[in-house]
Amino acid sequence: MIKIAVDGMGGDYAPQLVVEGAVQAANSFHDVEIVITGKEDAIKRELYRHKVPGGKISICHASEVVEMSDSPVQAVRKKKDSSLSVAIQLLKQKEVDAVVTAGNTGAAVAASTLNLGLLPGIKRPGIAIAIPTLHGISVAIDVGANIDPTAEHLLQYAIMAEIYARYLLKKKKPSIGLLNIGEEESKGTEALQEAYKLIRDSGLNFVGNIEGRDFFTGKCDCIVCDGFSGNVVLKMTESILEMMIKLITKEIQKDFLARIGALLCKPAFESIRRETNYEEAGGAPLLGVDGVVIIGHGISSAKAICNAIRVARESVVEHVNEHIIEGISSRIGNHANLPSKTTPIPKVNP
Amino acid sequence: MIKIAVDGMGGDYAPQLVVEGAVQAANSFHDVEIVITGKEDAIKRELYRHKVPGGKISICHASEVVEMSDSPVQAVRKKKDSSLSVAIQLLKQKEVDAVVTAGNTGAAVAASTLNLGLLPGIKRPGIAIAIPTLHGISVAIDVGANIDPTAEHLLQYAIMAEIYARYLLKKKKPSIGLLNIGEEESKGTEALQEAYKLIRDSGLNFVGNIEGRDFFTGKCDCIVCDGFSGNVVLKMTESILEMMIKLITKEIQKDFLARIGALLCKPAFESIRRETNYEEAGGAPLLGVDGVVIIGHGISSAKAICNAIRVARESVVEHVNEHIIEGISSRIGNHANLPSKTTPIPKVNP
């Protein structure tokens, strides 16, 4: 059995949709057991609304709630009995195999990093997210944990993204691109210029710098980016489809024939909506911490929570963290012989 | 007469489409005279294809061409007789009132900054671009000139964007947003946190931090951002519409009724394409340099070149640079009394 702790109070629609999603997951995955952390009364009340398969969901009471507006480090330090902290503690004590939270992202990153620590050799964790593209699913890392990464951090993100693409997206020889403002090696900040060299020399399947226009074309399987741009792009794309639909609706209302046309096109539009829907892709793993932690969007629906639990389950089944430890160790082994201007990367003792 | 130098060799389709766009502009704006810089033979050959209104277009020969792949500073230092450098020299010597180029953006920024210098008080120039939103046109600055701006640079971008919105977009009390990864004042890098305070205290109509999801909703008239994220977002949006159209086409091909529907919707789609088309918005002013310089996209069509010339003309007619000098002087005057952790901003002697 794979045990997954779900932060019952995290997210804009918690505990209602979180519990609903947990129930969906309990019904979908025969080998998953779920512990929901949070206010027992509130969670029980939600559970009563659903048909829960026997023994697959339990509650672990937590008296406090991390609000979306809380400062991450403060929340972790002061709210020791929050649903988030309790879930992370269960993982630390190996009572569960993974944590899923749709709460305050900054607090989830801080709580995981401070309590679980990082995998051997890893300098900074990164949030990886699946991106629907014209040629299947890609992964982008980092999208918000590290807004000012060094070249070394970016190299490590490349290594972790490659593992994600290989084991979770089932890509054979995942290609890596570095998000920059031009294709030439000389573009971007010093950190990016140095990261270009490090990734090129790492033995990864590096396609070079990619630009904003390549984000959704599927030009590469893994997009390595700083957490600031990654976050901006991610939030922008979440809204752009809604904007397109509003524009199309507005234009179509002006014209009778177009209104009929739109009715006929509806199934095609629905299909595109599904293909580009982040809910389908599920939550975003916080890669690099010593434990499986999946972060969901604050506005996660029940389906999104269920999918985040699926990603947590797959990360455990596929031993993603063990592969990251191996990848960091072997890539850095290759790399340590090459001259580099960055801080030397310490060898990992596996 | 307003005299505008157009870089005849700059852009992926130069000189052909540049000359075509210049001819369109000469025919559209009765008060504009155009000097095309570049290889005389090649430009003459293109001009012969068109009906040119008498005396409105002349050629200024330049023997060299800045390539898209040239390093910006090298291009400026080594290619003194490039079509770009010659155009900037004409502006410096006040033989023309403005320059339009669709060539190497970095080289255009370097050539302008090095040869024309900056307006009094301005620390770094920024590229401003018009953005189509759900509520009309907004302006974003910077989208690529300054990838690592300080808080002071961002404040100056806010002041310049406000002038752009007021005089070129004709907004009465332009609102300003700061692109960040969260709405709270405490989000983002130190430079962004400090910029938040500076802009808030500047007397501008500041709406606070905005996120990626607000980029196209028209939440504010002016989006202030670092040149890295701005560039990534800009290039991404240029491609996203194309991607949507490809997705829609693919889905629609699957279904006979949807194919008929798509035909009926075509005028609505075309109208959206027009509304979200960067060509309509024209070129992007390089604000902060001592002269009107408008940068067009490398893949500019003739229409985009003509629109960039329109923006150059309007910038001259509306005295945008004089208003920027005034704005910087008066806002910094207000601001200098407030305590701040950033480098003190020197008072401007107008």
PDB file of all heavy atoms in Angstrom, chain A residues 181 192 211 213 216 228-229 235-237 239 241 243-244 251 271 275, chain B residues 181 192 211 213 216 228-229 235-237 239 241 243-244 251 271 275:
ATOM      1  N   ILE A 181      16.385  34.773 -23.510  1.00  0.00           N
ATOM      2  CA  ILE A 181      15.796  35.788 -24.381  1.00  0.00           C
ATOM      3  C   ILE A 181      16.381  35.732 -25.783  1.00  0.00           C
ATOM      4  O   ILE A 181      16.160  36.643 -26.592  1.00  0.00           O
ATOM      5  CB  ILE A 181      15.939  37.204 -23.785  1.00  0.00           C
ATOM      6  CG1 ILE A 181      17.417  37.489 -23.492  1.00  0.00           C
ATOM      7  CG2 ILE A 181      15.116  37.338 -22.517  1.00  0.00           C
ATOM      8  CD1 ILE A 181      17.680  38.948 -23.161  1.00  0.00           C
ATOM      9  N   LEU A 192      22.703  32.520 -16.530  1.00  0.00           N
ATOM     10  CA  LEU A 192      22.182  31.753 -17.661  1.00  0.00           C
ATOM     11  C   LEU A 192      23.292  31.366 -18.637  1.00  0.00           C
ATOM     12  O   LEU A 192      23.302  30.255 -19.167  1.00  0.00           O
ATOM     13  CB  LEU A 192      21.089  32.542 -18.390  1.00  0.00           C
ATOM     14  CG  LEU A 192      19.726  32.514 -17.698  1.00  0.00           C
ATOM     15  CD1 LEU A 192      18.795  33.557 -18.292  1.00  0.00           C
ATOM     16  CD2 LEU A 192      19.097  31.132 -17.823  1.00  0.00           C
ATOM     17  N   GLU A 211      13.222  30.132 -26.489  1.00  0.00           N
ATOM     18  CA  GLU A 211      12.625  31.434 -26.200  1.00  0.00           C
ATOM     19  C   GLU A 211      11.150  31.260 -25.832  1.00  0.00           C
ATOM     20  O   GLU A 211      10.598  30.172 -25.953  1.00  0.00           O
ATOM     21  CB  GLU A 211      12.771  32.340 -27.415  1.00  0.00           C
ATOM     22  CG  GLU A 211      14.222  32.602 -27.754  1.00  0.00           C
ATOM     23  CD  GLU A 211      14.354  33.570 -28.917  1.00  0.00           C
ATOM     24  OE1 GLU A 211      14.202  34.766 -28.695  1.00  0.00           O
ATOM     25  OE2 GLU A 211      14.592  33.111 -30.036  1.00  0.00           O
ATOM     26  N   ARG A 213       8.629  31.876 -27.337  1.00  0.00           N
ATOM     27  CA  ARG A 213       7.772  31.348 -28.415  1.00  0.00           C
ATOM     28  C   ARG A 213       7.814  29.822 -28.502  1.00  0.00           C
ATOM     29  O   ARG A 213       6.961  29.218 -29.139  1.00  0.00           O
ATOM     30  CB  ARG A 213       8.146  31.964 -29.762  1.00  0.00           C
ATOM     31  CG  ARG A 213       9.509  31.579 -30.290  1.00  0.00           C
ATOM     32  CD  ARG A 213       9.703  32.126 -31.705  1.00  0.00           C
ATOM     33  NE  ARG A 213       9.747  33.584 -31.676  1.00  0.00           N
ATOM     34  CZ  ARG A 213      10.861  34.302 -31.596  1.00  0.00           C
ATOM     35  NH1 ARG A 213      12.029  33.707 -31.554  1.00  0.00           N
ATOM     36  NH2 ARG A 213      10.830  35.624 -31.556  1.00  0.00           N
ATOM     37  N   PHE A 216       5.223  26.383 -25.857  1.00  0.00           N
ATOM     38  CA  PHE A 216       4.114  25.460 -26.074  1.00  0.00           C
ATOM     39  C   PHE A 216       4.191  24.702 -27.388  1.00  0.00           C
ATOM     40  O   PHE A 216       3.245  24.049 -27.787  1.00  0.00           O
ATOM     41  CB  PHE A 216       2.779  26.200 -25.973  1.00  0.00           C
ATOM     42  CG  PHE A 216       2.568  26.726 -24.605  1.00  0.00           C
ATOM     43  CD1 PHE A 216       2.825  28.042 -24.318  1.00  0.00           C
ATOM     44  CD2 PHE A 216       2.172  25.876 -23.591  1.00  0.00           C
ATOM     45  CE1 PHE A 216       2.684  28.516 -23.034  1.00  0.00           C
ATOM     46  CE2 PHE A 216       2.032  26.337 -22.305  1.00  0.00           C
ATOM     47  CZ  PHE A 216       2.282  27.667 -22.021  1.00  0.00           C
ATOM     48  N   PHE A 228      11.067  32.906 -11.375  1.00  0.00           N
ATOM     49  CA  PHE A 228      10.281  34.115 -11.595  1.00  0.00           C
ATOM     50  C   PHE A 228       9.585  34.058 -12.962  1.00  0.00           C
ATOM     51  O   PHE A 228       8.360  34.098 -13.044  1.00  0.00           O
ATOM     52  CB  PHE A 228      11.157  35.369 -11.483  1.00  0.00           C
ATOM     53  CG  PHE A 228      10.361  36.640 -11.451  1.00  0.00           C
ATOM     54  CD1 PHE A 228       9.957  37.180 -10.243  1.00  0.00           C
ATOM     55  CD2 PHE A 228       9.978  37.271 -12.624  1.00  0.00           C
ATOM     56  CE1 PHE A 228       9.187  38.342 -10.213  1.00  0.00           C
ATOM     57  CE2 PHE A 228       9.218  38.423 -12.600  1.00  0.00           C
ATOM     58  CZ  PHE A 228       8.827  38.965 -11.388  1.00  0.00           C
ATOM     59  N   SER A 229      10.382  33.921 -14.023  1.00  0.00           N
ATOM     60  CA  SER A 229       9.774  33.853 -15.369  1.00  0.00           C
ATOM     61  C   SER A 229       8.847  32.658 -15.472  1.00  0.00           C
ATOM     62  O   SER A 229       7.781  32.751 -16.087  1.00  0.00           O
ATOM     63  CB  SER A 229      10.837  33.675 -16.451  1.00  0.00           C
ATOM     64  OG  SER A 229      11.905  34.499 -16.240  1.00  0.00           O
ATOM     65  N   LYS A 235       1.244  31.402 -14.862  1.00  0.00           N
ATOM     66  CA  LYS A 235      -0.006  32.088 -14.524  1.00  0.00           C
ATOM     67  C   LYS A 235      -0.629  32.727 -15.749  1.00  0.00           C
ATOM     68  O   LYS A 235      -1.852  32.808 -15.876  1.00  0.00           O
ATOM     69  CB  LYS A 235       0.255  33.132 -13.447  1.00  0.00           C
ATOM     70  CG  LYS A 235       0.484  32.495 -12.083  1.00  0.00           C
ATOM     71  CD  LYS A 235       0.770  33.526 -11.029  1.00  0.00           C
ATOM     72  CE  LYS A 235       0.972  32.871  -9.669  1.00  0.00           C
ATOM     73  NZ  LYS A 235       1.705  33.760  -8.758  1.00  0.00           N
ATOM     74  N   MET A 236       0.221  33.204 -16.667  1.00  0.00           N
ATOM     75  CA  MET A 236      -0.312  33.831 -17.865  1.00  0.00           C
ATOM     76  C   MET A 236      -1.062  32.823 -18.724  1.00  0.00           C
ATOM     77  O   MET A 236      -2.154  33.103 -19.214  1.00  0.00           O
ATOM     78  CB  MET A 236       0.812  34.444 -18.659  1.00  0.00           C
ATOM     79  CG  MET A 236       0.304  35.464 -19.614  1.00  0.00           C
ATOM     80  SD  MET A 236       1.664  36.112 -20.531  1.00  0.00           S
ATOM     81  CE  MET A 236       1.564  35.050 -21.921  1.00  0.00           C
ATOM     82  N   THR A 237      -0.473  31.647 -18.884  1.00  0.00           N
ATOM     83  CA  THR A 237      -1.116  30.669 -19.749  1.00  0.00           C
ATOM     84  C   THR A 237      -2.412  30.153 -19.140  1.00  0.00           C
ATOM     85  O   THR A 237      -3.328  29.812 -19.861  1.00  0.00           O
ATOM     86  CB  THR A 237      -0.196  29.469 -20.021  1.00  0.00           C
ATOM     87  OG1 THR A 237       0.263  28.967 -18.778  1.00  0.00           O
ATOM     88  CG2 THR A 237       0.969  29.877 -20.851  1.00  0.00           C
ATOM     89  N   SER A 239      -4.521  31.903 -17.760  1.00  0.00           N
ATOM     90  CA  SER A 239      -5.599  32.857 -18.035  1.00  0.00           C
ATOM     91  C   SER A 239      -5.834  33.057 -19.523  1.00  0.00           C
ATOM     92  O   SER A 239      -6.884  33.509 -19.942  1.00  0.00           O
ATOM     93  CB  SER A 239      -5.281  34.207 -17.395  1.00  0.00           C
ATOM     94  OG  SER A 239      -4.289  34.873 -18.142  1.00  0.00           O
ATOM     95  N   LEU A 241      -6.233  31.083 -22.118  1.00  0.00           N
ATOM     96  CA  LEU A 241      -7.271  30.312 -22.782  1.00  0.00           C
ATOM     97  C   LEU A 241      -8.645  30.900 -22.454  1.00  0.00           C
ATOM     98  O   LEU A 241      -9.496  31.065 -23.331  1.00  0.00           O
ATOM     99  CB  LEU A 241      -7.212  28.840 -22.377  1.00  0.00           C
ATOM    100  CG  LEU A 241      -8.069  27.953 -23.260  1.00  0.00           C
ATOM    101  CD1 LEU A 241      -7.447  27.769 -24.637  1.00  0.00           C
ATOM    102  CD2 LEU A 241      -8.300  26.607 -22.621  1.00  0.00           C
ATOM    103  N   MET A 243      -9.207  33.936 -21.779  1.00  0.00           N
ATOM    104  CA  MET A 243      -9.321  35.185 -22.521  1.00  0.00           C
ATOM    105  C   MET A 243      -9.721  34.929 -23.965  1.00  0.00           C
ATOM    106  O   MET A 243     -10.581  35.606 -24.515  1.00  0.00           O
ATOM    107  CB  MET A 243      -8.000  35.939 -22.465  1.00  0.00           C
ATOM    108  CG  MET A 243      -8.130  37.335 -23.001  1.00  0.00           C
ATOM    109  SD  MET A 243      -6.529  38.156 -23.212  1.00  0.00           S
ATOM    110  CE  MET A 243      -6.199  37.813 -24.926  1.00  0.00           C
ATOM    111  N   MET A 244      -9.099  33.904 -24.564  1.00  0.00           N
ATOM    112  CA  MET A 244      -9.421  33.573 -25.954  1.00  0.00           C
ATOM    113  C   MET A 244     -10.894  33.204 -26.079  1.00  0.00           C
ATOM    114  O   MET A 244     -11.568  33.611 -27.027  1.00  0.00           O
ATOM    115  CB  MET A 244      -8.568  32.385 -26.423  1.00  0.00           C
ATOM    116  CG  MET A 244      -7.096  32.672 -26.579  1.00  0.00           C
ATOM    117  SD  MET A 244      -6.749  33.912 -27.832  1.00  0.00           S
ATOM    118  CE  MET A 244      -7.455  33.106 -29.261  1.00  0.00           C
ATOM    119  N   GLU A 251     -17.015  37.946 -30.205  1.00  0.00           N
ATOM    120  CA  GLU A 251     -17.066  38.121 -31.654  1.00  0.00           C
ATOM    121  C   GLU A 251     -18.243  37.359 -32.257  1.00  0.00           C
ATOM    122  O   GLU A 251     -18.918  37.842 -33.161  1.00  0.00           O
ATOM    123  CB  GLU A 251     -15.760  37.633 -32.298  1.00  0.00           C
ATOM    124  CG  GLU A 251     -14.616  38.610 -32.190  1.00  0.00           C
ATOM    125  CD  GLU A 251     -14.952  39.968 -32.771  1.00  0.00           C
ATOM    126  OE1 GLU A 251     -15.592  40.025 -33.842  1.00  0.00           O
ATOM    127  OE2 GLU A 251     -14.597  40.978 -32.137  1.00  0.00           O
ATOM    128  N   SER A 271     -12.871  19.799 -26.617  1.00  0.00           N
ATOM    129  CA  SER A 271     -11.725  18.902 -26.665  1.00  0.00           C
ATOM    130  C   SER A 271     -10.417  19.677 -26.441  1.00  0.00           C
ATOM    131  O   SER A 271      -9.524  19.218 -25.732  1.00  0.00           O
ATOM    132  CB  SER A 271     -11.736  18.183 -28.019  1.00  0.00           C
ATOM    133  OG  SER A 271     -10.501  17.610 -28.267  1.00  0.00           O
ATOM    134  N   GLU A 275      -7.593  19.301 -23.551  1.00  0.00           N
ATOM    135  CA  GLU A 275      -6.172  19.074 -23.848  1.00  0.00           C
ATOM    136  C   GLU A 275      -5.256  20.093 -23.172  1.00  0.00           C
ATOM    137  O   GLU A 275      -4.113  19.788 -22.863  1.00  0.00           O
ATOM    138  CB  GLU A 275      -5.929  19.166 -25.366  1.00  0.00           C
ATOM    139  CG  GLU A 275      -6.078  17.849 -26.068  1.00  0.00           C
ATOM    140  CD  GLU A 275      -5.662  17.968 -27.533  1.00  0.00           C
ATOM    141  OE1 GLU A 275      -4.553  18.439 -27.814  1.00  0.00           O
ATOM    142  OE2 GLU A 275      -6.481  17.601 -28.394  1.00  0.00           O
TER     143      GLU A 275
ATOM    144  N   ILE B 181       5.369  37.851  -8.781  1.00  0.00           N
ATOM    145  CA  ILE B 181       4.832  36.490  -8.660  1.00  0.00           C
ATOM    146  C   ILE B 181       3.756  36.398  -7.589  1.00  0.00           C
ATOM    147  O   ILE B 181       3.361  35.305  -7.198  1.00  0.00           O
ATOM    148  CB  ILE B 181       5.955  35.461  -8.386  1.00  0.00           C
ATOM    149  CG1 ILE B 181       6.736  35.867  -7.135  1.00  0.00           C
ATOM    150  CG2 ILE B 181       6.892  35.352  -9.565  1.00  0.00           C
ATOM    151  CD1 ILE B 181       7.653  34.766  -6.637  1.00  0.00           C
ATOM    152  N   LEU B 192      12.309  44.229  -6.672  1.00  0.00           N
ATOM    153  CA  LEU B 192      10.873  44.394  -6.885  1.00  0.00           C
ATOM    154  C   LEU B 192      10.179  44.918  -5.631  1.00  0.00           C
ATOM    155  O   LEU B 192       9.270  45.756  -5.713  1.00  0.00           O
ATOM    156  CB  LEU B 192      10.241  43.063  -7.326  1.00  0.00           C
ATOM    157  CG  LEU B 192      10.449  42.724  -8.797  1.00  0.00           C
ATOM    158  CD1 LEU B 192      10.087  41.280  -9.084  1.00  0.00           C
ATOM    159  CD2 LEU B 192       9.618  43.656  -9.678  1.00  0.00           C
ATOM    160  N   GLU B 211       0.036  39.848 -11.607  1.00  0.00           N
ATOM    161  CA  GLU B 211       0.645  38.557 -11.889  1.00  0.00           C
ATOM    162  C   GLU B 211       0.478  38.221 -13.372  1.00  0.00           C
ATOM    163  O   GLU B 211      -0.204  38.923 -14.114  1.00  0.00           O
ATOM    164  CB  GLU B 211      -0.016  37.493 -11.025  1.00  0.00           C
ATOM    165  CG  GLU B 211       0.204  37.743  -9.540  1.00  0.00           C
ATOM    166  CD  GLU B 211      -0.410  36.638  -8.685  1.00  0.00           C
ATOM    167  OE1 GLU B 211       0.188  35.564  -8.615  1.00  0.00           O
ATOM    168  OE2 GLU B 211      -1.492  36.864  -8.126  1.00  0.00           O
ATOM    169  N   ARG B 213      -1.294  36.255 -14.800  1.00  0.00           N
ATOM    170  CA  ARG B 213      -2.683  36.093 -15.252  1.00  0.00           C
ATOM    171  C   ARG B 213      -3.348  37.421 -15.591  1.00  0.00           C
ATOM    172  O   ARG B 213      -4.379  37.446 -16.256  1.00  0.00           O
ATOM    173  CB  ARG B 213      -3.517  35.347 -14.204  1.00  0.00           C
ATOM    174  CG  ARG B 213      -3.737  36.084 -12.903  1.00  0.00           C
ATOM    175  CD  ARG B 213      -4.678  35.309 -11.997  1.00  0.00           C
ATOM    176  NE  ARG B 213      -4.104  34.039 -11.594  1.00  0.00           N
ATOM    177  CZ  ARG B 213      -3.403  33.843 -10.474  1.00  0.00           C
ATOM    178  NH1 ARG B 213      -3.211  34.842  -9.633  1.00  0.00           N
ATOM    179  NH2 ARG B 213      -2.896  32.669 -10.188  1.00  0.00           N
ATOM    180  N   PHE B 216      -3.143  40.134 -19.878  1.00  0.00           N
ATOM    181  CA  PHE B 216      -4.013  40.468 -21.012  1.00  0.00           C
ATOM    182  C   PHE B 216      -5.440  40.805 -20.616  1.00  0.00           C
ATOM    183  O   PHE B 216      -6.316  40.882 -21.459  1.00  0.00           O
ATOM    184  CB  PHE B 216      -4.007  39.318 -22.020  1.00  0.00           C
ATOM    185  CG  PHE B 216      -2.669  39.121 -22.610  1.00  0.00           C
ATOM    186  CD1 PHE B 216      -1.826  38.138 -22.143  1.00  0.00           C
ATOM    187  CD2 PHE B 216      -2.214  39.980 -23.587  1.00  0.00           C
ATOM    188  CE1 PHE B 216      -0.560  37.991 -22.663  1.00  0.00           C
ATOM    189  CE2 PHE B 216      -0.947  39.849 -24.114  1.00  0.00           C
ATOM    190  CZ  PHE B 216      -0.119  38.845 -23.644  1.00  0.00           C
ATOM    191  N   PHE B 228      13.748  40.644 -18.819  1.00  0.00           N
ATOM    192  CA  PHE B 228      13.808  39.211 -19.087  1.00  0.00           C
ATOM    193  C   PHE B 228      12.398  38.624 -19.162  1.00  0.00           C
ATOM    194  O   PHE B 228      12.004  38.071 -20.188  1.00  0.00           O
ATOM    195  CB  PHE B 228      14.653  38.487 -18.028  1.00  0.00           C
ATOM    196  CG  PHE B 228      14.964  37.064 -18.392  1.00  0.00           C
ATOM    197  CD1 PHE B 228      16.116  36.750 -19.090  1.00  0.00           C
ATOM    198  CD2 PHE B 228      14.088  36.042 -18.069  1.00  0.00           C
ATOM    199  CE1 PHE B 228      16.405  35.439 -19.457  1.00  0.00           C
ATOM    200  CE2 PHE B 228      14.358  34.730 -18.433  1.00  0.00           C
ATOM    201  CZ  PHE B 228      15.522  34.430 -19.122  1.00  0.00           C
ATOM    202  N   SER B 229      11.643  38.777 -18.076  1.00  0.00           N
ATOM    203  CA  SER B 229      10.273  38.230 -18.074  1.00  0.00           C
ATOM    204  C   SER B 229       9.440  38.873 -19.177  1.00  0.00           C
ATOM    205  O   SER B 229       8.637  38.200 -19.831  1.00  0.00           O
ATOM    206  CB  SER B 229       9.548  38.504 -16.758  1.00  0.00           C
ATOM    207  OG  SER B 229      10.362  38.244 -15.683  1.00  0.00           O
ATOM    208  N   LYS B 235       7.321  37.111 -26.396  1.00  0.00           N
ATOM    209  CA  LYS B 235       7.546  36.118 -27.446  1.00  0.00           C
ATOM    210  C   LYS B 235       6.552  34.967 -27.326  1.00  0.00           C
ATOM    211  O   LYS B 235       6.128  34.396 -28.321  1.00  0.00           O
ATOM    212  CB  LYS B 235       8.974  35.594 -27.369  1.00  0.00           C
ATOM    213  CG  LYS B 235       9.979  36.616 -27.890  1.00  0.00           C
ATOM    214  CD  LYS B 235      11.394  36.100 -27.766  1.00  0.00           C
ATOM    215  CE  LYS B 235      12.391  37.111 -28.315  1.00  0.00           C
ATOM    216  NZ  LYS B 235      13.743  36.870 -27.788  1.00  0.00           N
ATOM    217  N   MET B 236       6.188  34.633 -26.086  1.00  0.00           N
ATOM    218  CA  MET B 236       5.245  33.551 -25.894  1.00  0.00           C
ATOM    219  C   MET B 236       3.877  33.899 -26.480  1.00  0.00           C
ATOM    220  O   MET B 236       3.252  33.089 -27.154  1.00  0.00           O
ATOM    221  CB  MET B 236       5.109  33.249 -24.424  1.00  0.00           C
ATOM    222  CG  MET B 236       4.517  31.893 -24.199  1.00  0.00           C
ATOM    223  SD  MET B 236       4.352  31.592 -22.474  1.00  0.00           S
ATOM    224  CE  MET B 236       2.694  32.129 -22.300  1.00  0.00           C
ATOM    225  N   THR B 237       3.446  35.121 -26.221  1.00  0.00           N
ATOM    226  CA  THR B 237       2.112  35.497 -26.693  1.00  0.00           C
ATOM    227  C   THR B 237       2.076  35.611 -28.203  1.00  0.00           C
ATOM    228  O   THR B 237       1.051  35.351 -28.815  1.00  0.00           O
ATOM    229  CB  THR B 237       1.675  36.831 -26.097  1.00  0.00           C
ATOM    230  OG1 THR B 237       2.705  37.773 -26.347  1.00  0.00           O
ATOM    231  CG2 THR B 237       1.455  36.707 -24.623  1.00  0.00           C
ATOM    232  N   SER B 239       3.373  33.627 -30.154  1.00  0.00           N
ATOM    233  CA  SER B 239       3.206  32.296 -30.726  1.00  0.00           C
ATOM    234  C   SER B 239       1.925  31.612 -30.277  1.00  0.00           C
ATOM    235  O   SER B 239       1.461  30.678 -30.905  1.00  0.00           O
ATOM    236  CB  SER B 239       4.394  31.413 -30.345  1.00  0.00           C
ATOM    237  OG  SER B 239       4.298  31.012 -28.998  1.00  0.00           O
ATOM    238  N   LEU B 241      -1.227  32.463 -30.129  1.00  0.00           N
ATOM    239  CA  LEU B 241      -2.402  32.533 -30.980  1.00  0.00           C
ATOM    240  C   LEU B 241      -2.260  31.545 -32.145  1.00  0.00           C
ATOM    241  O   LEU B 241      -3.205  30.819 -32.483  1.00  0.00           O
ATOM    242  CB  LEU B 241      -2.615  33.954 -31.498  1.00  0.00           C
ATOM    243  CG  LEU B 241      -3.984  34.144 -32.136  1.00  0.00           C
ATOM    244  CD1 LEU B 241      -5.064  34.187 -31.080  1.00  0.00           C
ATOM    245  CD2 LEU B 241      -4.022  35.409 -32.957  1.00  0.00           C
ATOM    246  N   MET B 243      -0.612  28.849 -32.077  1.00  0.00           N
ATOM    247  CA  MET B 243      -0.789  27.514 -31.538  1.00  0.00           C
ATOM    248  C   MET B 243      -2.270  27.183 -31.373  1.00  0.00           C
ATOM    249  O   MET B 243      -2.718  26.089 -31.720  1.00  0.00           O
ATOM    250  CB  MET B 243      -0.076  27.395 -30.200  1.00  0.00           C
ATOM    251  CG  MET B 243      -0.036  25.966 -29.723  1.00  0.00           C
ATOM    252  SD  MET B 243       0.568  25.794 -28.045  1.00  0.00           S
ATOM    253  CE  MET B 243      -0.965  25.781 -27.143  1.00  0.00           C
ATOM    254  N   MET B 244      -3.041  28.162 -30.870  1.00  0.00           N
ATOM    255  CA  MET B 244      -4.477  27.942 -30.681  1.00  0.00           C
ATOM    256  C   MET B 244      -5.134  27.637 -32.020  1.00  0.00           C
ATOM    257  O   MET B 244      -5.979  26.749 -32.126  1.00  0.00           O
ATOM    258  CB  MET B 244      -5.134  29.184 -30.063  1.00  0.00           C
ATOM    259  CG  MET B 244      -4.739  29.476 -28.645  1.00  0.00           C
ATOM    260  SD  MET B 244      -5.224  28.152 -27.500  1.00  0.00           S
ATOM    261  CE  MET B 244      -7.001  28.174 -27.739  1.00  0.00           C
ATOM    262  N   GLU B 251      -8.528  19.917 -34.401  1.00  0.00           N
ATOM    263  CA  GLU B 251      -9.745  19.346 -33.829  1.00  0.00           C
ATOM    264  C   GLU B 251     -10.895  19.384 -34.824  1.00  0.00           C
ATOM    265  O   GLU B 251     -11.673  18.435 -34.935  1.00  0.00           O
ATOM    266  CB  GLU B 251     -10.147  20.109 -32.554  1.00  0.00           C
ATOM    267  CG  GLU B 251      -9.342  19.740 -31.331  1.00  0.00           C
ATOM    268  CD  GLU B 251      -9.405  18.246 -31.009  1.00  0.00           C
ATOM    269  OE1 GLU B 251     -10.487  17.656 -31.149  1.00  0.00           O
ATOM    270  OE2 GLU B 251      -8.355  17.686 -30.650  1.00  0.00           O
ATOM    271  N   SER B 271     -11.444  38.436 -37.147  1.00  0.00           N
ATOM    272  CA  SER B 271     -11.536  39.671 -36.385  1.00  0.00           C
ATOM    273  C   SER B 271     -10.673  39.589 -35.120  1.00  0.00           C
ATOM    274  O   SER B 271      -9.992  40.550 -34.751  1.00  0.00           O
ATOM    275  CB  SER B 271     -13.008  39.918 -36.052  1.00  0.00           C
ATOM    276  OG  SER B 271     -13.119  40.831 -35.025  1.00  0.00           O
ATOM    277  N   GLU B 275      -7.529  41.832 -33.909  1.00  0.00           N
ATOM    278  CA  GLU B 275      -7.484  42.515 -32.604  1.00  0.00           C
ATOM    279  C   GLU B 275      -6.235  42.191 -31.807  1.00  0.00           C
ATOM    280  O   GLU B 275      -5.767  42.992 -31.007  1.00  0.00           O
ATOM    281  CB  GLU B 275      -8.710  42.111 -31.763  1.00  0.00           C
ATOM    282  CG  GLU B 275      -9.896  43.015 -31.963  1.00  0.00           C
ATOM    283  CD  GLU B 275     -11.026  42.655 -31.001  1.00  0.00           C
ATOM    284  OE1 GLU B 275     -10.770  42.574 -29.791  1.00  0.00           O
ATOM    285  OE2 GLU B 275     -12.153  42.450 -31.476  1.00  0.00           O
TER     286      GLU B 275
END
